[in-house]
Amino acid sequence: MIRLTIHENEKKGNISPEIYGHFSEHLGRCIYEGLFVGEDSQIPNKAGMRSDVVEALKDMKLPVLRWPGGCFADEYHWKDGIGPKENRKRMVNTNWGGVVEDNSFGTHEYFELCDQLGCKTYINGNVGSGTVQEMAEWIEYMTFDGESPLANERRKNGHDKPWRVDYFGVGNENWGCGGNMHPEYYADVYRRYQSFVKSYDKDNPINRIACGPSDFDYDWTEKLLNRLFTRCFDHLHGNLEGISLHYYTLPHDWDHKGDAVKFTEDEWYITLNKTLKMDEIITKHSNIMDKYDPKKILALIVDEWGCWFDVEEGTNPGFLYQQNTMRDALVAGINLNIFNKHCDRVRMANIAQTVNVLQSVILTEGKKMVLTPTYHVFRMFKHHQDSQLLNSFLTGVNEAGIDEYKVPEVTESVSMSKDGTVNITLNNLTLDSDKEIDISFDELKAKDIEAFIVTGAMDAHNTFDDAEVVTTKEFKGLEADGKNIKVNLPARSVVLIRVK
Ligand code: AHR
């Protein structure tokens, strides 16, 4: 029998809502078609933003949106995307399919979208091919309230008051598409660029994010922090709020990633085994950060994560369009539980990418919209946002899987909302074995309970013809005796239990 012990009196820190964040790049049909269709579109929209998609994302409580990239950010020149649309520059999106980028979605449109979503803003600046001046001017354009040439230009373009930039990324993947830099070199570049990311609104300072590592690259983290924190350590604590981390889950390798829908049972376990590496990756980067920042002032921002499969046959290879199955639901549930457990260091995470690209929560085709299994997991898990992580652990869990690709049968995390409700999220990673779980608390008498489940065949997915194959359903597989809860957790499932 598996036991889940919950010490509801032991709170381990706040789960930042931004852990449930998203990333949307000018890539394929994410921004264009997915989020933004333009005011003249037949598809119902408000100021060009698709109303169906905005409503679904609000219901999922999307807390923060990273934009405009990705690799696109390091070739994005923001002035191309402001002013009358007919005058905006048409350029080539060199990273993603070589298509024409007409810049009809720019700074004003981004803030309009975030306003409609009611979410925080995370802009990624251009270090790879942009100048310090260009970055400084973008900040001034967006956030300066007084009299200045750029603030006046913003007013001329229709926005009187400054916007709030909550997070600003100083470059993206500067070890790769963002300039192929060495960590020490990038650290110096960071020090220079961040000096001009000024917080004009002293009450709402901009959180600056430096380009951190890719997956297992501990050398980058070590060298970056070492170089940043030599000379003026204290000073830099006022000039850096976080470093990013990117880790994608690929069943195989970059040349042959694996199909999003047609996969074997072995590939199920390989994928889940690989996604579980997120825990080790976060732990090891955090350990390096602890050396330089023992008080955990800096955040680790996992601003790109999720499944990356081979693109769907017949679609533009540069558009990274892929379907989303129950396997993706498990990947989402596993990672969100991991982030919760690391909430002392991980204060934001952004799944790649919101609509029509990689592990999306939404797929669109013309007027049609489909919510993916990943969407349903995010909507269930929203109750963790801004809750207190509780001390909880499992015992009696065996391993499932194949060869070196073993996984624990079950993973979990538990939080307490502000109103005292306890949120328990459980994943059953096995393909064929329902699991009995006995849940116990310190003192809490489990009486008033509601529970929901996302489950299905391993390759179950929603299509434009059948959008309800995988949905959120009420979960009835539990019994409470006034103290403990006995759960029968079905194979291949993600479950939320709320105890009031
Ligand atoms: O999300 C797709 C791409 O993956 C991003 O543009 C880049 O940052 C990463 O390599």
mmCIF file of all heavy atoms in Angstrom, residues 175 211-225 243-247 277-293 296 298-302 342 345-346:
data_model
loop_
_atom_site.group_PDB
_atom_site.id
_atom_site.type_symbol
_atom_site.label_atom_id
_atom_site.label_comp_id
_atom_site.label_asym_id
_atom_site.label_seq_id
_atom_site.Cartn_x
_atom_site.Cartn_y
_atom_site.Cartn_z
ATOM 1 N N TRP A 175 24.075 31.204 -25.043
ATOM 2 C CA TRP A 175 25.058 30.142 -25.301
ATOM 3 C C TRP A 175 24.799 29.493 -26.654
ATOM 4 O O TRP A 175 25.572 28.661 -27.118
ATOM 5 C CB TRP A 175 25.021 29.082 -24.195
ATOM 6 C CG TRP A 175 23.647 28.824 -23.631
ATOM 7 C CD1 TRP A 175 23.131 29.320 -22.469
ATOM 8 C CD2 TRP A 175 22.584 28.037 -24.215
ATOM 9 N NE1 TRP A 175 21.825 28.891 -22.294
ATOM 10 C CE2 TRP A 175 21.474 28.098 -23.355
ATOM 11 C CE3 TRP A 175 22.478 27.281 -25.385
ATOM 12 C CZ2 TRP A 175 20.264 27.447 -23.611
ATOM 13 C CZ3 TRP A 175 21.274 26.631 -25.652
ATOM 14 C CH2 TRP A 175 20.186 26.718 -24.767
ATOM 15 N N CYS A 211 20.468 35.172 -18.779
ATOM 16 C CA CYS A 211 20.387 33.889 -19.485
ATOM 17 C C CYS A 211 21.153 32.830 -18.705
ATOM 18 O O CYS A 211 22.383 32.896 -18.598
ATOM 19 C CB CYS A 211 20.967 34.032 -20.888
ATOM 20 S SG CYS A 211 21.249 32.438 -21.654
ATOM 21 N N GLY A 212 20.433 31.882 -18.196
ATOM 22 C CA GLY A 212 21.048 30.777 -17.461
ATOM 23 C C GLY A 212 21.298 29.588 -18.380
ATOM 24 O O GLY A 212 21.335 29.733 -19.602
ATOM 25 N N PRO A 213 21.436 28.408 -17.783
ATOM 26 C CA PRO A 213 21.901 27.245 -18.530
ATOM 27 C C PRO A 213 20.825 26.531 -19.331
ATOM 28 O O PRO A 213 19.633 26.753 -19.154
ATOM 29 C CB PRO A 213 22.364 26.320 -17.403
ATOM 30 C CG PRO A 213 21.432 26.670 -16.280
ATOM 31 C CD PRO A 213 21.212 28.142 -16.363
ATOM 32 N N SER A 214 21.303 25.606 -20.147
ATOM 33 C CA SER A 214 20.451 24.612 -20.765
ATOM 34 C C SER A 214 20.632 23.322 -19.966
ATOM 35 O O SER A 214 21.752 22.973 -19.576
ATOM 36 C CB SER A 214 20.909 24.399 -22.201
ATOM 37 O OG SER A 214 20.171 23.372 -22.793
ATOM 38 N N ASP A 215 19.588 22.634 -19.725
ATOM 39 C CA ASP A 215 19.524 21.350 -19.011
ATOM 40 C C ASP A 215 20.706 21.019 -18.084
ATOM 41 O O ASP A 215 20.808 21.572 -16.996
ATOM 42 C CB ASP A 215 19.224 20.206 -19.982
ATOM 43 C CG ASP A 215 20.010 20.278 -21.284
ATOM 44 O OD1 ASP A 215 21.225 20.245 -21.205
ATOM 45 O OD2 ASP A 215 19.390 20.355 -22.361
ATOM 46 N N PHE A 216 21.645 20.168 -18.535
ATOM 47 C CA PHE A 216 22.681 19.662 -17.614
ATOM 48 C C PHE A 216 23.968 20.502 -17.642
ATOM 49 O O PHE A 216 25.005 20.046 -17.170
ATOM 50 C CB PHE A 216 23.041 18.209 -17.969
ATOM 51 C CG PHE A 216 21.860 17.280 -17.981
ATOM 52 C CD1 PHE A 216 21.157 17.026 -19.152
ATOM 53 C CD2 PHE A 216 21.432 16.671 -16.807
ATOM 54 C CE1 PHE A 216 20.058 16.179 -19.162
ATOM 55 C CE2 PHE A 216 20.338 15.816 -16.806
ATOM 56 C CZ PHE A 216 19.651 15.578 -17.982
ATOM 57 N N ASP A 217 23.914 21.695 -18.182
ATOM 58 C CA ASP A 217 25.131 22.491 -18.352
ATOM 59 C C ASP A 217 25.464 23.241 -17.041
ATOM 60 O O ASP A 217 25.269 24.455 -16.921
ATOM 61 C CB ASP A 217 24.959 23.468 -19.517
ATOM 62 C CG ASP A 217 26.268 24.154 -19.878
ATOM 63 O OD1 ASP A 217 27.274 23.931 -19.158
ATOM 64 O OD2 ASP A 217 26.281 24.914 -20.860
ATOM 65 N N TYR A 218 26.008 22.485 -16.092
ATOM 66 C CA TYR A 218 26.329 23.084 -14.779
ATOM 67 C C TYR A 218 27.521 24.023 -14.883
ATOM 68 O O TYR A 218 27.663 24.956 -14.090
ATOM 69 C CB TYR A 218 26.580 21.971 -13.748
ATOM 70 C CG TYR A 218 25.386 21.043 -13.664
ATOM 71 C CD1 TYR A 218 25.450 19.732 -14.119
ATOM 72 C CD2 TYR A 218 24.162 21.510 -13.184
ATOM 73 C CE1 TYR A 218 24.335 18.904 -14.096
ATOM 74 C CE2 TYR A 218 23.037 20.688 -13.160
ATOM 75 C CZ TYR A 218 23.134 19.384 -13.619
ATOM 76 O OH TYR A 218 22.018 18.588 -13.603
ATOM 77 N N ASP A 219 28.361 23.778 -15.874
ATOM 78 C CA ASP A 219 29.519 24.626 -16.108
ATOM 79 C C ASP A 219 29.076 26.074 -16.400
ATOM 80 O O ASP A 219 29.675 27.034 -15.910
ATOM 81 C CB ASP A 219 30.294 24.043 -17.304
ATOM 82 C CG ASP A 219 31.565 24.795 -17.594
ATOM 83 O OD1 ASP A 219 32.391 24.882 -16.672
ATOM 84 O OD2 ASP A 219 31.729 25.292 -18.735
ATOM 85 N N TRP A 220 28.006 26.218 -17.192
ATOM 86 C CA TRP A 220 27.499 27.566 -17.516
ATOM 87 C C TRP A 220 27.077 28.292 -16.231
ATOM 88 O O TRP A 220 27.437 29.446 -15.995
ATOM 89 C CB TRP A 220 26.326 27.475 -18.501
ATOM 90 C CG TRP A 220 25.722 28.828 -18.828
ATOM 91 C CD1 TRP A 220 24.772 29.492 -18.094
ATOM 92 C CD2 TRP A 220 26.054 29.692 -19.925
ATOM 93 N NE1 TRP A 220 24.482 30.712 -18.671
ATOM 94 C CE2 TRP A 220 25.256 30.851 -19.806
ATOM 95 C CE3 TRP A 220 26.933 29.596 -21.001
ATOM 96 C CZ2 TRP A 220 25.313 31.906 -20.717
ATOM 97 C CZ3 TRP A 220 26.980 30.649 -21.925
ATOM 98 C CH2 TRP A 220 26.186 31.788 -21.770
ATOM 99 N N THR A 221 26.319 27.595 -15.396
ATOM 100 C CA THR A 221 25.816 28.233 -14.165
ATOM 101 C C THR A 221 26.973 28.651 -13.272
ATOM 102 O O THR A 221 27.004 29.775 -12.750
ATOM 103 C CB THR A 221 24.889 27.252 -13.405
ATOM 104 O OG1 THR A 221 23.873 26.848 -14.300
ATOM 105 C CG2 THR A 221 24.252 27.894 -12.190
ATOM 106 N N GLU A 222 27.935 27.745 -13.114
ATOM 107 C CA GLU A 222 29.083 28.020 -12.244
ATOM 108 C C GLU A 222 29.867 29.240 -12.756
ATOM 109 O O GLU A 222 30.136 30.192 -12.018
ATOM 110 C CB GLU A 222 29.981 26.770 -12.196
ATOM 111 C CG GLU A 222 31.276 26.921 -11.433
ATOM 112 C CD GLU A 222 31.086 27.243 -9.960
ATOM 113 O OE1 GLU A 222 30.248 26.603 -9.303
ATOM 114 O OE2 GLU A 222 31.768 28.174 -9.473
ATOM 115 N N LYS A 223 30.181 29.207 -14.041
ATOM 116 C CA LYS A 223 31.012 30.284 -14.595
ATOM 117 C C LYS A 223 30.248 31.600 -14.666
ATOM 118 O O LYS A 223 30.805 32.671 -14.426
ATOM 119 C CB LYS A 223 31.534 29.889 -15.973
ATOM 120 C CG LYS A 223 32.608 28.805 -15.865
ATOM 121 C CD LYS A 223 33.209 28.474 -17.192
ATOM 122 C CE LYS A 223 34.399 27.527 -17.012
ATOM 123 N NZ LYS A 223 34.525 26.578 -18.094
ATOM 124 N N LEU A 224 28.974 31.525 -14.997
ATOM 125 C CA LEU A 224 28.154 32.748 -15.058
ATOM 126 C C LEU A 224 28.111 33.432 -13.696
ATOM 127 O O LEU A 224 28.409 34.623 -13.561
ATOM 128 C CB LEU A 224 26.729 32.395 -15.505
ATOM 129 C CG LEU A 224 25.691 33.515 -15.415
ATOM 130 C CD1 LEU A 224 25.930 34.568 -16.490
ATOM 131 C CD2 LEU A 224 24.267 32.973 -15.540
ATOM 132 N N LEU A 225 27.766 32.648 -12.666
ATOM 133 C CA LEU A 225 27.615 33.251 -11.339
ATOM 134 C C LEU A 225 28.958 33.712 -10.797
ATOM 135 O O LEU A 225 29.059 34.769 -10.162
ATOM 136 C CB LEU A 225 26.930 32.278 -10.376
ATOM 137 C CG LEU A 225 25.482 31.918 -10.753
ATOM 138 C CD1 LEU A 225 24.872 30.992 -9.718
ATOM 139 C CD2 LEU A 225 24.612 33.156 -10.908
ATOM 140 N N ILE A 243 17.935 33.827 -12.841
ATOM 141 C CA ILE A 243 18.566 33.271 -14.048
ATOM 142 C C ILE A 243 17.614 32.229 -14.630
ATOM 143 O O ILE A 243 16.857 31.583 -13.911
ATOM 144 C CB ILE A 243 19.970 32.673 -13.787
ATOM 145 C CG1 ILE A 243 19.906 31.434 -12.902
ATOM 146 C CG2 ILE A 243 20.916 33.710 -13.186
ATOM 147 C CD1 ILE A 243 21.221 30.646 -12.869
ATOM 148 N N SER A 244 17.677 32.103 -15.947
ATOM 149 C CA SER A 244 16.748 31.186 -16.618
ATOM 150 C C SER A 244 17.336 29.779 -16.694
ATOM 151 O O SER A 244 18.545 29.581 -16.516
ATOM 152 C CB SER A 244 16.443 31.702 -18.025
ATOM 153 O OG SER A 244 17.635 31.735 -18.783
ATOM 154 N N LEU A 245 16.481 28.829 -16.975
ATOM 155 C CA LEU A 245 16.887 27.440 -17.230
ATOM 156 C C LEU A 245 15.955 26.890 -18.300
ATOM 157 O O LEU A 245 14.739 27.095 -18.216
ATOM 158 C CB LEU A 245 16.747 26.612 -15.936
ATOM 159 C CG LEU A 245 16.756 25.087 -16.084
ATOM 160 C CD1 LEU A 245 18.129 24.582 -16.520
ATOM 161 C CD2 LEU A 245 16.364 24.411 -14.760
ATOM 162 N N HIS A 246 16.521 26.231 -19.306
ATOM 163 C CA HIS A 246 15.699 25.597 -20.336
ATOM 164 C C HIS A 246 15.930 24.086 -20.316
ATOM 165 O O HIS A 246 17.071 23.641 -20.308
ATOM 166 C CB HIS A 246 16.073 26.119 -21.743
ATOM 167 C CG HIS A 246 15.683 27.556 -21.955
ATOM 168 N ND1 HIS A 246 15.897 28.227 -23.133
ATOM 169 C CD2 HIS A 246 15.074 28.442 -21.132
ATOM 170 C CE1 HIS A 246 15.451 29.469 -23.021
ATOM 171 N NE2 HIS A 246 14.947 29.630 -21.819
ATOM 172 N N TYR A 247 14.858 23.350 -20.270
ATOM 173 C CA TYR A 247 14.983 21.885 -20.388
ATOM 174 C C TYR A 247 13.754 21.330 -21.108
ATOM 175 O O TYR A 247 12.627 21.436 -20.616
ATOM 176 C CB TYR A 247 15.131 21.219 -19.020
ATOM 177 C CG TYR A 247 15.150 19.696 -19.113
ATOM 178 C CD1 TYR A 247 16.080 19.050 -19.919
ATOM 179 C CD2 TYR A 247 14.230 18.916 -18.421
ATOM 180 C CE1 TYR A 247 16.092 17.656 -20.038
ATOM 181 C CE2 TYR A 247 14.232 17.525 -18.519
ATOM 182 C CZ TYR A 247 15.172 16.905 -19.340
ATOM 183 O OH TYR A 247 15.185 15.528 -19.455
ATOM 184 N N LYS A 277 13.914 14.037 -14.997
ATOM 185 C CA LYS A 277 15.275 14.598 -14.795
ATOM 186 C C LYS A 277 15.200 16.055 -14.375
ATOM 187 O O LYS A 277 16.168 16.630 -13.875
ATOM 188 C CB LYS A 277 16.107 14.508 -16.076
ATOM 189 C CG LYS A 277 16.311 13.127 -16.590
ATOM 190 C CD LYS A 277 17.564 12.499 -16.007
ATOM 191 C CE LYS A 277 17.765 11.110 -16.568
ATOM 192 N NZ LYS A 277 17.858 10.041 -15.614
ATOM 193 N N MET A 278 14.056 16.682 -14.622
ATOM 194 C CA MET A 278 13.902 18.085 -14.227
ATOM 195 C C MET A 278 14.245 18.275 -12.744
ATOM 196 O O MET A 278 14.844 19.280 -12.355
ATOM 197 C CB MET A 278 12.456 18.530 -14.490
ATOM 198 C CG MET A 278 12.182 19.972 -14.170
ATOM 199 S SD MET A 278 13.031 21.136 -15.257
ATOM 200 C CE MET A 278 11.813 21.398 -16.519
ATOM 201 N N ASP A 279 13.888 17.297 -11.937
ATOM 202 C CA ASP A 279 14.142 17.408 -10.492
ATOM 203 C C ASP A 279 15.646 17.480 -10.211
ATOM 204 O O ASP A 279 16.120 18.346 -9.471
ATOM 205 C CB ASP A 279 13.510 16.215 -9.768
ATOM 206 C CG ASP A 279 13.591 16.373 -8.267
ATOM 207 O OD1 ASP A 279 13.302 17.475 -7.774
ATOM 208 O OD2 ASP A 279 13.971 15.396 -7.600
ATOM 209 N N GLU A 280 16.388 16.562 -10.830
ATOM 210 C CA GLU A 280 17.843 16.538 -10.648
ATOM 211 C C GLU A 280 18.473 17.826 -11.190
ATOM 212 O O GLU A 280 19.361 18.411 -10.562
ATOM 213 C CB GLU A 280 18.384 15.313 -11.414
ATOM 214 C CG GLU A 280 19.880 15.236 -11.506
ATOM 215 C CD GLU A 280 20.314 14.173 -12.545
ATOM 216 O OE1 GLU A 280 19.586 13.181 -12.741
ATOM 217 O OE2 GLU A 280 21.382 14.367 -13.157
ATOM 218 N N ILE A 281 18.007 18.257 -12.341
ATOM 219 C CA ILE A 281 18.575 19.454 -12.982
ATOM 220 C C ILE A 281 18.369 20.677 -12.088
ATOM 221 O O ILE A 281 19.297 21.449 -11.832
ATOM 222 C CB ILE A 281 17.922 19.665 -14.375
ATOM 223 C CG1 ILE A 281 18.381 18.562 -15.327
ATOM 224 C CG2 ILE A 281 18.262 21.029 -14.950
ATOM 225 C CD1 ILE A 281 17.618 18.508 -16.649
ATOM 226 N N ILE A 282 17.157 20.842 -11.584
ATOM 227 C CA ILE A 282 16.882 21.992 -10.711
ATOM 228 C C ILE A 282 17.734 21.891 -9.443
ATOM 229 O O ILE A 282 18.335 22.879 -8.990
ATOM 230 C CB ILE A 282 15.379 22.069 -10.360
ATOM 231 C CG1 ILE A 282 14.579 22.452 -11.599
ATOM 232 C CG2 ILE A 282 15.118 23.080 -9.239
ATOM 233 C CD1 ILE A 282 13.071 22.414 -11.409
ATOM 234 N N THR A 283 17.780 20.698 -8.867
ATOM 235 C CA THR A 283 18.538 20.525 -7.620
ATOM 236 C C THR A 283 19.996 20.904 -7.816
ATOM 237 O O THR A 283 20.579 21.648 -7.007
ATOM 238 C CB THR A 283 18.436 19.053 -7.143
ATOM 239 O OG1 THR A 283 17.064 18.726 -6.997
ATOM 240 C CG2 THR A 283 19.155 18.847 -5.824
ATOM 241 N N LYS A 284 20.597 20.428 -8.902
ATOM 242 C CA LYS A 284 22.037 20.679 -9.087
ATOM 243 C C LYS A 284 22.324 22.140 -9.418
ATOM 244 O O LYS A 284 23.311 22.702 -8.940
ATOM 245 C CB LYS A 284 22.595 19.735 -10.150
ATOM 246 C CG LYS A 284 22.633 18.291 -9.654
ATOM 247 C CD LYS A 284 23.405 17.397 -10.571
ATOM 248 C CE LYS A 284 23.550 16.005 -9.965
ATOM 249 N NZ LYS A 284 23.905 14.997 -10.964
ATOM 250 N N HIS A 285 21.484 22.768 -10.241
ATOM 251 C CA HIS A 285 21.710 24.205 -10.506
ATOM 252 C C HIS A 285 21.465 25.014 -9.224
ATOM 253 O O HIS A 285 22.190 25.971 -8.941
ATOM 254 C CB HIS A 285 20.811 24.703 -11.644
ATOM 255 C CG HIS A 285 21.243 24.206 -12.996
ATOM 256 N ND1 HIS A 285 22.436 24.566 -13.575
ATOM 257 C CD2 HIS A 285 20.642 23.353 -13.879
ATOM 258 C CE1 HIS A 285 22.559 23.971 -14.766
ATOM 259 N NE2 HIS A 285 21.488 23.224 -14.963
ATOM 260 N N SER A 286 20.455 24.612 -8.456
ATOM 261 C CA SER A 286 20.171 25.328 -7.196
ATOM 262 C C SER A 286 21.345 25.210 -6.240
ATOM 263 O O SER A 286 21.661 26.166 -5.524
ATOM 264 C CB SER A 286 18.941 24.769 -6.499
ATOM 265 O OG SER A 286 17.833 24.947 -7.280
ATOM 266 N N ASN A 287 21.968 24.026 -6.213
ATOM 267 C CA ASN A 287 23.126 23.855 -5.319
ATOM 268 C C ASN A 287 24.238 24.820 -5.694
ATOM 269 O O ASN A 287 24.893 25.400 -4.819
ATOM 270 C CB ASN A 287 23.650 22.413 -5.375
ATOM 271 C CG ASN A 287 22.697 21.458 -4.691
ATOM 272 O OD1 ASN A 287 21.811 21.877 -3.947
ATOM 273 N ND2 ASN A 287 22.848 20.165 -4.955
ATOM 274 N N ILE A 288 24.468 25.009 -6.986
ATOM 275 C CA ILE A 288 25.492 25.981 -7.411
ATOM 276 C C ILE A 288 25.050 27.393 -7.003
ATOM 277 O O ILE A 288 25.839 28.184 -6.488
ATOM 278 C CB ILE A 288 25.731 25.896 -8.937
ATOM 279 C CG1 ILE A 288 26.204 24.496 -9.314
ATOM 280 C CG2 ILE A 288 26.738 26.961 -9.390
ATOM 281 C CD1 ILE A 288 26.269 24.220 -10.812
ATOM 282 N N MET A 289 23.786 27.694 -7.212
ATOM 283 C CA MET A 289 23.281 29.029 -6.837
ATOM 284 C C MET A 289 23.445 29.264 -5.333
ATOM 285 O O MET A 289 23.787 30.368 -4.901
ATOM 286 C CB MET A 289 21.811 29.180 -7.261
ATOM 287 C CG MET A 289 21.627 29.223 -8.767
ATOM 288 S SD MET A 289 19.902 29.190 -9.272
ATOM 289 C CE MET A 289 19.446 30.908 -9.077
ATOM 290 N N ASP A 290 23.213 28.206 -4.546
ATOM 291 C CA ASP A 290 23.328 28.332 -3.077
ATOM 292 C C ASP A 290 24.722 28.803 -2.669
ATOM 293 O O ASP A 290 24.881 29.524 -1.685
ATOM 294 C CB ASP A 290 23.058 26.999 -2.391
ATOM 295 C CG ASP A 290 21.578 26.658 -2.389
ATOM 296 O OD1 ASP A 290 20.765 27.532 -2.718
ATOM 297 O OD2 ASP A 290 21.249 25.498 -2.062
ATOM 298 N N LYS A 291 25.718 28.366 -3.428
ATOM 299 C CA LYS A 291 27.098 28.739 -3.118
ATOM 300 C C LYS A 291 27.289 30.255 -3.199
ATOM 301 O O LYS A 291 27.980 30.862 -2.393
ATOM 302 C CB LYS A 291 28.010 28.087 -4.177
ATOM 303 C CG LYS A 291 29.140 27.282 -3.620
ATOM 304 C CD LYS A 291 29.848 26.484 -4.692
ATOM 305 C CE LYS A 291 30.732 27.326 -5.605
ATOM 306 N NZ LYS A 291 31.321 26.550 -6.699
ATOM 307 N N TYR A 292 26.670 30.856 -4.200
ATOM 308 C CA TYR A 292 26.832 32.301 -4.431
ATOM 309 C C TYR A 292 25.729 33.115 -3.772
ATOM 310 O O TYR A 292 25.886 34.307 -3.541
ATOM 311 C CB TYR A 292 26.839 32.583 -5.942
ATOM 312 C CG TYR A 292 28.033 31.972 -6.628
ATOM 313 C CD1 TYR A 292 27.949 30.707 -7.205
ATOM 314 C CD2 TYR A 292 29.255 32.636 -6.646
ATOM 315 C CE1 TYR A 292 29.048 30.129 -7.808
ATOM 316 C CE2 TYR A 292 30.359 32.069 -7.250
ATOM 317 C CZ TYR A 292 30.257 30.812 -7.829
ATOM 318 O OH TYR A 292 31.357 30.243 -8.417
ATOM 319 N N ASP A 293 24.627 32.459 -3.521
ATOM 320 C CA ASP A 293 23.429 33.170 -3.065
ATOM 321 C C ASP A 293 22.725 32.316 -2.010
ATOM 322 O O ASP A 293 21.623 31.808 -2.232
ATOM 323 C CB ASP A 293 22.531 33.412 -4.293
ATOM 324 C CG ASP A 293 21.171 33.981 -3.930
ATOM 325 O OD1 ASP A 293 21.099 34.817 -3.024
ATOM 326 O OD2 ASP A 293 20.179 33.558 -4.563
ATOM 327 N N LYS A 296 19.067 32.631 -1.071
ATOM 328 C CA LYS A 296 18.080 32.355 -2.135
ATOM 329 C C LYS A 296 17.331 33.625 -2.556
ATOM 330 O O LYS A 296 16.100 33.642 -2.671
ATOM 331 C CB LYS A 296 17.097 31.267 -1.705
ATOM 332 C CG LYS A 296 17.758 29.915 -1.442
ATOM 333 C CD LYS A 296 16.722 28.835 -1.291
ATOM 334 C CE LYS A 296 17.279 27.545 -0.723
ATOM 335 N NZ LYS A 296 18.205 26.838 -1.571
ATOM 336 N N LEU A 298 18.105 35.127 -5.468
ATOM 337 C CA LEU A 298 17.907 34.934 -6.909
ATOM 338 C C LEU A 298 16.887 33.839 -7.172
ATOM 339 O O LEU A 298 16.878 32.821 -6.487
ATOM 340 C CB LEU A 298 19.201 34.482 -7.578
ATOM 341 C CG LEU A 298 20.357 35.452 -7.673
ATOM 342 C CD1 LEU A 298 21.507 34.778 -8.384
ATOM 343 C CD2 LEU A 298 19.930 36.705 -8.414
ATOM 344 N N ALA A 299 16.098 34.044 -8.223
ATOM 345 C CA ALA A 299 15.136 33.010 -8.618
ATOM 346 C C ALA A 299 15.716 32.173 -9.758
ATOM 347 O O ALA A 299 16.496 32.673 -10.575
ATOM 348 C CB ALA A 299 13.846 33.667 -9.090
ATOM 349 N N LEU A 300 15.321 30.910 -9.794
ATOM 350 C CA LEU A 300 15.596 30.080 -10.963
ATOM 351 C C LEU A 300 14.302 30.067 -11.771
ATOM 352 O O LEU A 300 13.241 29.693 -11.260
ATOM 353 C CB LEU A 300 16.006 28.671 -10.537
ATOM 354 C CG LEU A 300 16.440 27.725 -11.645
ATOM 355 C CD1 LEU A 300 17.662 28.255 -12.400
ATOM 356 C CD2 LEU A 300 16.787 26.341 -11.075
ATOM 357 N N ILE A 301 14.409 30.518 -13.019
ATOM 358 C CA ILE A 301 13.220 30.731 -13.848
ATOM 359 C C ILE A 301 13.264 29.711 -14.986
ATOM 360 O O ILE A 301 14.075 29.846 -15.900
ATOM 361 C CB ILE A 301 13.266 32.160 -14.465
ATOM 362 C CG1 ILE A 301 13.495 33.235 -13.392
ATOM 363 C CG2 ILE A 301 12.061 32.434 -15.340
ATOM 364 C CD1 ILE A 301 12.301 33.649 -12.619
ATOM 365 N N VAL A 302 12.409 28.702 -14.907
ATOM 366 C CA VAL A 302 12.426 27.647 -15.941
ATOM 367 C C VAL A 302 11.561 28.144 -17.108
ATOM 368 O O VAL A 302 10.421 27.709 -17.282
ATOM 369 C CB VAL A 302 11.913 26.305 -15.385
ATOM 370 C CG1 VAL A 302 12.184 25.182 -16.384
ATOM 371 C CG2 VAL A 302 12.570 25.977 -14.047
ATOM 372 N N HIS A 342 10.039 22.717 -5.448
ATOM 373 C CA HIS A 342 11.245 23.557 -5.463
ATOM 374 C C HIS A 342 10.885 25.042 -5.370
ATOM 375 O O HIS A 342 11.648 25.884 -5.825
ATOM 376 C CB HIS A 342 12.035 23.316 -6.749
ATOM 377 C CG HIS A 342 12.819 22.040 -6.749
ATOM 378 N ND1 HIS A 342 14.035 21.913 -6.115
ATOM 379 C CD2 HIS A 342 12.556 20.835 -7.301
ATOM 380 C CE1 HIS A 342 14.492 20.677 -6.289
ATOM 381 N NE2 HIS A 342 13.605 19.994 -6.994
ATOM 382 N N ARG A 345 13.212 28.105 -4.709
ATOM 383 C CA ARG A 345 14.154 28.637 -5.700
ATOM 384 C C ARG A 345 13.465 28.900 -7.044
ATOM 385 O O ARG A 345 13.760 29.874 -7.718
ATOM 386 C CB ARG A 345 15.301 27.636 -5.866
ATOM 387 C CG ARG A 345 16.459 28.073 -6.677
ATOM 388 C CD ARG A 345 17.161 29.312 -6.174
ATOM 389 N NE ARG A 345 18.349 29.060 -5.392
ATOM 390 C CZ ARG A 345 19.145 30.041 -4.944
ATOM 391 N NH1 ARG A 345 18.885 31.318 -5.199
ATOM 392 N NH2 ARG A 345 20.187 29.759 -4.203
ATOM 393 N N VAL A 346 12.561 28.011 -7.422
ATOM 394 C CA VAL A 346 11.885 28.177 -8.722
ATOM 395 C C VAL A 346 10.682 29.102 -8.508
ATOM 396 O O VAL A 346 9.717 28.733 -7.848
ATOM 397 C CB VAL A 346 11.429 26.817 -9.297
ATOM 398 C CG1 VAL A 346 10.646 27.007 -10.587
ATOM 399 C CG2 VAL A 346 12.635 25.919 -9.537
#
